[in-house]
Amino acid sequence: MKATFRDVKADILEKITSGTWQPGSLIPNELDLAETYGCARATVNRAMRELADEGLIERRRKAGTRVRMAPVRQARFDIPIVRQEIEEQGAAYRYFLVSRAIVAAPDWLRARLTLAAGAEVLHLVCMHYADGVPYQHEDRWINLDALPQARDADFSELGPNEWLVSAIPYSDAEISFSATLADAEMADYLGSTEGAALFTVERLTWWQDKANTYVRLSFRHGHRMTTRY
Amino acid sequence: MKATFRDVKADILEKITSGTWQPGSLIPNELDLAETYGCARATVNRAMRELADEGLIERRRKAGTRVRMAPVRQARFDIPIVRQEIEEQGAAYRYFLVSRAIVAAPDWLRARLTLAAGAEVLHLVCMHYADGVPYQHEDRWINLDALPQARDADFSELGPNEWLVSAIPYSDAEISFSATLADAEMADYLGSTEGAALFTVERLTWWQDKANTYVRLSFRHGHRMTTRY
DNA sequence: TCCAACATTATGACTGAACTTATCGCTATA
DNA sequence: TATAGCGATAAGTTCAGTCATAATGTTGGA
């Protein structure tokens, strides 16, 4: 008796994992559950809402709540700042700015960022090292129309990643993962061989409906991104 | 006046993104906010709790709520069943079982799944096609100790992925992404060339504290996993 | 037979109040 | 001076009740 929303959640989850409530089957309504657990409906509601958020159950007004047929499993990844990622592994972080140039945006970038012809962008190439070993290669393009302050920023000490989070507190982003082959230049930077398989992250961010920056991060050979869910 | 939790959440978010509330600064307490928005404390609480879940703010009892210095951004990925993934792209799904064998678990697998010496596992190799084009290569190992039903299951029609979600409604999982090179055999399967960079997903799942299956999914060359956050 | 209007129902949201818990900062004691 | 204890505070949780909303199924009329 006197169940907390955590108790209720755990019990419902147990009923699902053990198979007592089969996928697709209807779960008792909130009022009934509140009575069986001896708590208020709001408590049951919170438990069920969290389970629905996690993709285990499906809720529809009037239709009731049912166990999902094919539970939509979601994995959550923390997207850390490189410095933090490296320091959390107990390694020493080092940053180096390889190049910095203001150029007219190439067409492929204009298309991605929705930029007018002839728009100027800041192109940065940086390296991130963990204990002196190459960790990540960063190829970043910043839209100077959206972020004119970047023109005067000095990226030789502070990485663009960290500069950006201080300049823009929050932004929408699209992130995508893929595998690419290291060309000769990338192999040099990352201390691997040409033709090595690299884990690559691309990210596009917006702020106030304006595309902000496009970045392509190439990790050293063998890098893995892991999470539990 | 009469703000919903969505209004409150949106307004707080706006204050953060616009920089009105700087990173690290303290946000008014729930009671004050409830008054300014003209709603109950529980409403403000829900808005703030969701923002805290999303990693934008940090809450501590007595200390109050503050805007995170470096917002921990999280990306959420749906982990779909291959069939669904392919069919949602509007392509025709085809499955083929390449091989099926019951073998003694190799040492590397025993280590991963915490299996006793000599434990038997079911080893499956499957291919998934989208519109006839190779999409994903699946190399799966099932712990027969934890899942004896798998011994009698016929995987020639139904893929192990789908069989598993019906056999086990829910499980804990560890998932990891990396980039690997296609060897000659994999290149044959995926219709690419040897030395191509492949996006690879490895997944280890548990059910009731027993390691269940280990699977290694290799996607065809050029595959990307994308999400917004 | 078809369909629009309506009552029903389960979830969704909000309120105002109470109680719980973690923790900060102060104070009194060793 | 260090620290153990204590009170105040803000978030965390729960409650019972109300109103809102979406979707379903039924009823009655054309």
Side-chain angles (χ1 to χ4, degrees):
Chain A
M1 280 297 131
K2 255 318 175 46
T4 69
F5 82 92
R6 255 173 260 275
D7 297 334
V8 175
K9 192 177 165 185
D11 192 72
I12 293 175
L13 202 130
E14 194 277 331
K15 282 208 166 55
I16 294 173
T17 57
S18 70
T20 309
W21 290 345
Q22 290 289 319
S25 67
L26 205 65
I27 286 177
N29 71 40
E30 294 190 349
L31 228 56
D32 290 349
L33 284 176
E35 199 167 336
T36 63
Y37 289 115
C39 64
R41 190 168 79 95
T43 306
V44 174
N45 182 278
R46 173 149 182 205
M48 300 254 270
R49 185 152 37 79
E50 291 196 359
L51 288 168
D53 278 346
E54 289 161 25
L56 272 120
I57 59 178
E58 214 176 353
R59 320 194 71 195
R60 261 171 44 230
R61 285 176 180 171
K62 162 78 183 177
T65 302
R66 46 186 68 235
V67 182
R68 284 194 94 109
M69 277 302 201
V72 178
R73 299 305 310 276
Q74 312 185 305
R76 278 165 79 133
F77 285 94
D78 286 347
I79 311 291
I81 293 180
V82 211
R83 154 174 267 131
Q84 289 180 351
E85 189 177 349
I86 289 173
E87 285 174 351
E88 269 167 27
Q89 291 166 19
Y93 171 74
R94 192 162 65 79
Y95 161 77
F96 183 73
L97 176 63
V98 176
S99 73
R100 178 187 196 285
I102 292 175
V103 295
D107 290 342
W108 62 267
L109 186 67
R110 287 206 302 110
R112 289 221 173 187
L113 300 181
T114 349
L115 300 179
E120 279 189 329
V121 290
L122 177 63
H123 183 203
L124 300 164
V125 177
C126 329
M127 279 298 302
H128 303 271
Y129 299 88
D131 280 341
V133 179
Y135 185 84
Q136 186 189 82
H137 177 274
E138 176 174 357
D139 187 11
R140 186 179 290 269
W141 304 77
I142 298 176
N143 176 6
L144 287 173
D145 180 37
L147 279 170
Q149 323 95 287
R151 200 180 282 270
D152 308 313
D154 174 28
F155 293 103
S156 60
E157 292 300 320
L158 189 71
N161 200 327
E162 284 166 273
W163 182 84
L164 280 161
V165 298
S166 67
I168 297 175
Y170 185 85
S171 55
D172 285 318
E174 185 181 281
I175 194 167
S176 92
F177 301 146
S178 59
T180 52
L181 285 180
D183 57 18
E185 195 191 352
M186 190 63 79
D188 274 347
Y189 278 124
L190 292 173
S192 62
T193 54
E194 194 176 342
L198 303 179
F199 184 71
T200 304
V201 174
E202 283 166 281
R203 189 166 51 216
L204 207 54
T205 62
W206 288 265
W207 185 56
Q208 297 181 343
D209 296 326
K210 260 185 171 171
N212 219 313
T213 97
Y214 166 74
V215 63
R216 186 185 172 82
L217 306 168
S218 303
F219 287 83
R220 67 169 170 221
H221 175 70
H223 182 82
R224 310 176 139 256
M225 228 174 91
T226 305
T227 195
R228 286 174 158 272
Y229 68 95
Chain B
M1 279 297 130
K2 256 315 176 45
T4 69
F5 82 92
R6 255 174 260 275
D7 297 333
V8 175
K9 192 177 165 184
D11 193 71
I12 294 175
L13 202 130
E14 195 276 331
K15 282 207 166 54
I16 295 173
T17 58
S18 70
T20 308
W21 290 345
Q22 290 289 319
S25 68
L26 204 65
I27 286 177
N29 73 39
E30 294 191 349
L31 227 57
D32 290 349
L33 284 176
E35 199 168 335
T36 64
Y37 289 116
C39 65
R41 190 168 79 97
T43 306
V44 175
N45 182 279
R46 175 149 182 206
M48 302 255 268
R49 184 153 38 78
E50 291 197 0
L51 288 168
D53 278 346
E54 289 162 24
L56 272 121
I57 59 178
E58 214 176 354
R59 320 192 71 194
R60 262 172 42 234
R61 285 176 181 173
K62 158 79 183 175
T65 302
R66 47 185 68 236
V67 182
R68 283 194 94 110
M69 276 302 200
V72 178
R73 300 304 312 274
Q74 316 186 302
R76 278 165 79 132
F77 285 94
D78 286 347
I79 309 292
I81 292 179
V82 211
R83 154 174 268 131
Q84 291 179 351
E85 191 177 347
I86 289 172
E87 285 173 350
E88 270 168 26
Q89 291 166 20
Y93 172 74
R94 191 162 66 78
Y95 161 77
F96 183 73
L97 176 64
V98 176
S99 72
R100 178 189 197 283
I102 292 174
V103 294
D107 291 341
W108 63 267
L109 186 67
R110 288 205 301 110
R112 288 222 175 189
L113 300 181
T114 351
L115 298 179
E120 280 189 328
V121 289
L122 178 62
H123 183 205
L124 300 165
V125 177
C126 329
M127 280 298 301
H128 305 271
Y129 300 89
D131 281 340
V133 179
Y135 184 84
Q136 185 189 84
H137 176 274
E138 176 174 356
D139 186 11
R140 186 179 289 270
W141 304 78
I142 297 176
N143 176 6
L144 287 172
D145 180 38
L147 279 170
Q149 321 95 289
R151 201 180 282 268
D152 308 313
D154 175 29
F155 293 101
S156 61
E157 293 300 320
L158 189 71
N161 200 328
E162 285 166 273
W163 182 85
L164 281 162
V165 298
S166 67
I168 296 175
Y170 184 86
S171 55
D172 286 317
E174 184 181 282
I175 194 166
S176 91
F177 301 147
S178 58
T180 53
L181 285 180
D183 58 19
E185 195 190 352
M186 189 64 78
D188 274 348
Y189 278 123
L190 292 174
S192 63
T193 54
E194 195 177 341
L198 303 178
F199 185 71
T200 305
V201 175
E202 283 166 280
R203 188 165 51 215
L204 207 55
T205 63
W206 288 266
W207 185 57
Q208 298 179 344
D209 296 326
K210 260 184 171 172
N212 221 312
T213 96
Y214 165 74
V215 64
R216 187 186 172 82
L217 306 167
S218 303
F219 287 83
R220 69 171 167 216
H221 176 71
H223 181 82
R224 311 175 140 257
M225 227 174 93
T226 305
T227 194
R228 286 172 160 272
Y229 66 96

